């Protein structure tokens, strides 16, 4: 079936990503037990670096990223995202935004998880930017849960303004997987309240600024 084939393709991408980054840094995962078993969900995380993308592949879960189209041109990261059939968006194009939203909802309803960086761009100093409501809206429309994640350490490895440099960092990267917000909770919680809850949860695991 298409879903089984997709999962195998995603596992290959995850393994490739692990081999690619292992000479440079390690990824530690906290809260592995909070990852969904087989159900589709919307993953929501902070965004500091292009290395976020290769790092979260170490979850070894099947999902599609939502990303601006220009990311696909970046070496290594772009290759992986093309193979994973990333859903692209032109941020300034309203029609592109609507098409992307529909595509995400359709994928979720068919059992494919979606990975979203709700800040919409990378933070240059690690501080969380304002969350856009797209991730919440698609989870509500598709009636699926949301899994918040905090990504730590990628901003030190490849800062937002230095995309073609990879700095050595012995601390590596840490992924904190927070408890899932159930589909029922997603449906019953007002958008603004849910966005704030996601932001507070992700921010709570970040080091003091």
């Amino acid at each position: 079936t298409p879903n089984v084939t997709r999962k195998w393709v995603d596992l290959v991408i995850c393994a490739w990503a692990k081999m690619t980054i292992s000479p440079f840094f390690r990824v530690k995962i906290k809260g592995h037990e909070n990852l969904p078993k087989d159900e589709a969900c919307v993953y929501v995380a902070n965004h500091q670096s292009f290395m976020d993308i290769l790092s979260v592949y170490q979850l070894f879960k099947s999902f599609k990223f939502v990303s601006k189209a220009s990311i696909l041109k970046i070496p290594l990261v772009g290759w992986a995202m093309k193979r994973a059939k990333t859903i692209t968006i032109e941020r300034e194009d309203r029609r592109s935004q609507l098409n992307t939203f529909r595509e995400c909802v359709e994928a979720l309803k068919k059992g494919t998880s979606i990975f979203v960086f709700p800040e919409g761009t990378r933070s240059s100093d690690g501080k969380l930017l304002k969350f856009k409501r797209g991730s919440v809206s698609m989870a509500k429309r598709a009636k699926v849960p949301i899994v918040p994640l905090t990504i730590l350490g990628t901003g030190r490895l490849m800062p937002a303004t230095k995309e073609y440099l990879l700095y050595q960092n012995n601390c590596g990267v840490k992924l904190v997987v927070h408890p899932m917000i159930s589909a029922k909770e997603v449906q019953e919680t007002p958008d603004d309240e849910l966005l704030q809850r996601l932001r507070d949860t992700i921010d709570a695991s970040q080091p003091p600024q």
Side-chain angles (χ1 to χ4, degrees), residues 38-52:
D38 292 312
E39 65 182 318
C41 69
V42 177
Y43 293 98
V44 171
N46 58 310
H47 195 18
Q48 298 180 26
S49 165
F50 286 143
M51 286 298 104
D52 293 339

Side-chain angles (χ1 to χ4, degrees), residues 128-175:
L128 285 183
L129 306 174
K130 183 179 179 181
F131 277 21
K132 295 175 171 35
R133 63 180 64 238
S135 55
V136 166
S137 299
M138 67 179 69
K140 286 195 171 190
R141 183 72 63 87
K143 297 181 172 59
V144 298
I146 299 176
V147 178
L149 291 98
T150 306
I151 304 173
L152 301 166
T154 52
R156 295 189 300 262
L157 292 162
M158 184 180 283
T161 55
K162 298 178 180 178
E163 287 78 9
Y164 294 94
L165 292 175
L166 184 59
Y167 293 95
Q168 194 71 32
N169 192 294
N170 294 330
C171 295
V173 172
K174 183 177 180 181
L175 306 178

